[in-house]
Amino acid sequence: MSSGAKVVSAYVAQTDKDVLPTEGWKVLPNITNGLNNATTLTDSEMLNGTRVKTQGVVTSGEITGDLSAELAYGVYDDFLAAAFWNDWTVGGELTIGDTRKMFAVTKDFADIAAFYAFKGVHVNTLSIEITTDGIVNITFGLMGLGYETQKTVSYSAGAAATIVGAKASGLSVGDILHNGTAIGVCVEAFSFELDNQSEIQKCLGSNMYGGNIHAMIANASGSMTIAFSEKAYDILELQRTGGVMSIEVPIEFEDGTGYTIELPRVQISGDIPSPTGNELVTAEVTYTAVDESPVLTRITA
């Protein structure tokens, strides 16, 4: 039997989706690593002279899964860059681009000697969730192009340890800006999502998982829960004209490092609140980034 506490994941940058690197591996801290190999068994319709079903054939496969974690400074910067399909600038900024990043990711059940390796892994989606009373959570939706498994030794044996520093929570959020000035209203929750709407291109041949992954139109969106007020009223009324606004959310760690999520132009939607007599009145505002890329900035101490 295996213990969940013994499961270890690791990753390394990959240039050839078919070749697993032998060095450069780093331990990948996570809450859960949901990468999985799923195959499609196509039924045979052949008649064999009896009413017993004829054996089917595996005709395709899929490598997908979510990697969820608690946001810690620097630990997931490689995956953040992959989500934006870009490189960090010298000034520490990420915007949506066209630079492909892919990884090999391992998932080891060392206590029962079961070792898995997922190849050509791309980040399709990114989600950041901030609440008032929880740790900031980050989730990467992954897609891959290859898979190996064995029961002898880890593919990432000797992976370098990853030091996880201070984590962030709702208390770590600095002044939220709306159109460049403090929003001036209580924000109870904020989320940011980036969906590359990636598609796997499958070709005739032996690779059941596909030959390539292509990013399509990037959809950056999210939501925030705010106390209903004059400011919330003005924000909600923007949807009547399709007007735009900007949002900036800083996440600050104890050592002075941090990240800032900047959304230069968003359009919003949301309903007029319908509270009961015993509820604080809040507005659920959903936003979609338009015209300009979101900017994720890495702040050094």
Side-chain angles (χ1 to χ4, degrees):
M1 299 176 66
S2 180
S3 166
K6 298 291 187 179
V7 180
V8 178
S9 297
Y11 80 100
V12 66
Q14 199 174 13
T15 55
D16 185 336
K17 65 181 177 62
D18 297 318
V19 179
L20 279 173
T22 57
E23 56 186 22
W25 291 91
K26 301 176 185 177
V27 172
L28 180 58
N30 64 87
I31 298 172
T32 58
N33 176 357
L35 271 172
N36 184 53
N37 162 50
T39 56
T40 299
L41 183 66
T42 300
D43 290 339
S44 171
E45 298 182 6
M46 294 291 289
L47 301 177
N48 61 9
T50 74
R51 293 192 302 108
V52 178
K53 187 181 213 37
T54 302
Q55 178 177 330
V57 176
V58 173
T59 55
S60 68
E62 183 179 71
I63 303 294
T64 58
D66 288 347
L67 181 85
S68 63
E70 296 168 345
L71 181 64
Y73 184 79
V75 175
Y76 305 101
D77 284 0
D78 290 342
F79 283 80
L80 289 169
F84 277 79
W85 280 63
N86 215 339
D87 294 311
W88 291 94
T89 66
V90 175
E93 291 186 347
L94 270 180
T95 55
I96 294 171
D98 297 294
T99 302
R100 181 187 303 274
K101 309 282 186 182
M102 64 180 176
F103 309 100
V105 178
T106 57
K107 188 174 179 180
D108 294 350
F109 297 78
D111 54 356
I112 61 165
F115 306 105
Y116 301 90
F118 303 91
K119 301 182 293 186
V121 174
H122 294 60
V123 179
N124 180 37
T125 62
L126 163 67
S127 174
I128 299 174
E129 298 280 344
I130 308 173
T131 60
T132 55
D133 55 0
I135 295 174
V136 178
N137 283 333
I138 187 166
T139 302
F140 301 97
L142 308 177
M143 305 170 70
L145 293 170
Y147 166 78
E148 294 184 23
T149 184
Q150 61 185 10
K151 298 175 67 178
T152 53
V153 66
S154 171
Y155 296 94
S156 57
T162 298
I163 298 174
V164 179
K167 301 178 179 68
S169 70
L171 299 175
S172 308
V173 176
D175 290 335
I176 297 175
L177 303 184
H178 165 254
N179 289 340
T181 60
I183 193 168
V185 64
C186 175
V187 179
E188 295 186 1
F190 177 84
S191 71
F192 170 76
E193 298 175 3
L194 176 59
D195 185 355
N196 290 294
Q197 302 189 90
S198 300
E199 295 286 342
I200 296 178
Q201 186 174 42
K202 293 193 173 183
C203 310
L204 296 176
S206 60
N207 187 356
M208 71 170 73
Y209 304 108
N212 207 347
I213 293 176
H214 298 277
M216 303 300 170
I217 295 294
N219 183 27
S221 61
S223 65
M224 58 181 180
T225 304
I226 58 178
F228 196 59
S229 58
E230 290 184 11
K231 177 60 70 69
Y233 171 90
D234 292 339
I235 290 173
L236 286 173
E237 281 299 294
L238 278 176
Q239 65 189 317
R240 296 210 312 165
T241 61
V244 298
M245 67 180 197
S246 68
I247 307 171
E248 186 173 319
V249 180
I251 302 170
E252 302 166 349
F253 296 89
E254 293 177 354
D255 60 1
T257 61
Y259 297 99
T260 298
I261 302 169
E262 182 183 351
L263 301 149
R265 291 173 65 84
V266 299
Q267 291 180 303
I268 66 95
S269 62
D271 295 333
I272 299 171
S274 301
T276 67
N278 294 315
E279 293 179 322
L280 292 171
V281 185
T282 58
E284 299 291 334
V285 178
T286 300
Y287 66 83
T288 301
V290 296
D291 301 329
E292 296 183 37
S293 171
V295 182
L296 181 65
T297 302
R298 180 172 57 190
I299 302 167
T300 58

